[in-house]
Amino acid sequence: MALQFTTEVQTKDGFTIQNAYGRVAVGDSYTGTEVSGNVEIYVTEQAFVTGARPVKTSFIQDAIVPYNRDTEGTDILNIAHDALVAQLALQGIVATKVL
């Protein structure tokens, strides 16, 4: 899964990216009570596919949320995507999951 940005993304270098593409890395805590996600942002999906480096931004690109395997299941990648969408929204950035 990935994130598709519908809000313009500003890089630290001052460039504006339309329709940026984000790839998410996810992990769970050793206690199994939190899920963390981080999104790396690329100019396009093709930039990611061809091995380009992610762009640097000044906004928060990670999120940590409480997690209960018994009630939320085992798809921590989906949970991380939802957490990142919510974290980005708090900063005025709109992104959607790409399945």
Side-chain angles (χ1 to χ4, degrees), residues 23-77:
R23 290 297 291 203
V24 173
V26 63
D28 63 341
S29 64
Y30 70 93
T31 60
T33 59
E34 292 180 326
V35 168
S36 61
N38 177 272
V39 60
E40 289 192 331
I41 300 169
Y42 297 85
V43 174
T44 62
E45 180 179 5
Q46 187 61 34
F48 166 75
V49 170
T50 59
R53 291 188 169 279
V55 299
K56 301 217 182 286
T57 68
S58 58
F59 56 84
I60 298 169
Q61 293 176 221
D62 54 13
I64 299 173
V65 293
Y67 170 63
N68 182 325
R69 182 184 181 106
D70 294 331
T71 60
E72 296 179 86
T74 59
D75 190 355
I76 63 171
L77 185 58

Side-chain angles (χ1 to χ4, degrees), residues 4-9 17-21 42-45:
Q4 186 66 54
F5 289 76
T6 56
T7 304
E8 292 179 344
V9 170
I17 303 170
Q18 302 284 333
N19 302 312
Y21 176 81
Y42 297 85
V43 174
T44 62
E45 180 179 5

